[in-house]
Amino acid sequence: MSFYKLSSITALISVLLSVTLMGIPELLFYLFNIEASDATYFMGRRASILFLGLALVSWQMRNISNSTTQLAVSLSFMVIMFGLAILGSIEFTLGNTGVGIFLAIITELTLGLFYLKIWRENYLHTNPV
């Protein structure tokens, strides 16, 4: 998958999460089996803005052809995606979320692996063996 396409998909997913967390967070609370409270609404609104920022970064960076820049962006998004997948797995194991978290985990692992592929290709291109 190309960096352009992956960045576009990441931007779309991030903006959808942002809009959902700001507008109808109950959908994600239901999906992840999380009890709604003032604290979850508060954190959901904050996460909404973070996802909006990630969407904008992904969208703006999609046309970057510089290998060094793609390397940095790919590494950053790879860490975010794998980190979220690991955290989701831990929270499920601890019983803090329901099986719906696996939709997020699978998506995050998939995106993380695509970013890893792009990072690896760019790394080998900028640092030949």
Side-chain angles (χ1 to χ4, degrees), residues 70-100:
Q70 281 189 12
L71 193 67
V73 171
S74 295
L75 179 61
S76 298
F77 275 94
M78 181 177 52
V79 168
I80 291 167
M81 296 304 159
F82 287 149
L84 287 171
I86 291 167
L87 183 60
S89 300
I90 291 169
E91 294 298 336
F92 178 78
T93 302
L94 294 174
N96 295 329
T97 186
V99 295

Side-chain angles (χ1 to χ4, degrees), residues 5 43 78:
K5 190 172 187 176
M43 292 307 296
M78 181 177 52

Side-chain angles (χ1 to χ4, degrees), residues 11-78:
L12 176 64
I13 291 169
S14 295
V15 80
L16 288 174
L17 284 169
S18 177
V19 168
T20 302
L21 281 167
M22 189 61 78
I24 48 171
E26 299 85 2
L27 178 64
L28 293 176
F29 298 162
Y30 172 77
L31 180 65
F32 297 154
N33 196 26
I34 298 171
E35 187 176 324
S37 68
D38 289 343
T40 55
Y41 282 101
F42 168 72
M43 292 307 296
R45 287 189 297 271
R46 292 184 59 81
S48 170
I49 300 305
L50 287 172
F51 278 115
L52 181 59
L54 290 174
L56 291 171
V57 168
S58 296
W59 187 255
Q60 292 297 314
M61 298 302 278
R62 73 191 190 289
N63 290 314
I64 297 297
S65 59
N66 181 293
S67 293
T68 305
T69 306
Q70 281 189 12
L71 193 67
V73 171
S74 295
L75 179 61
S76 298
F77 275 94
M78 181 177 52

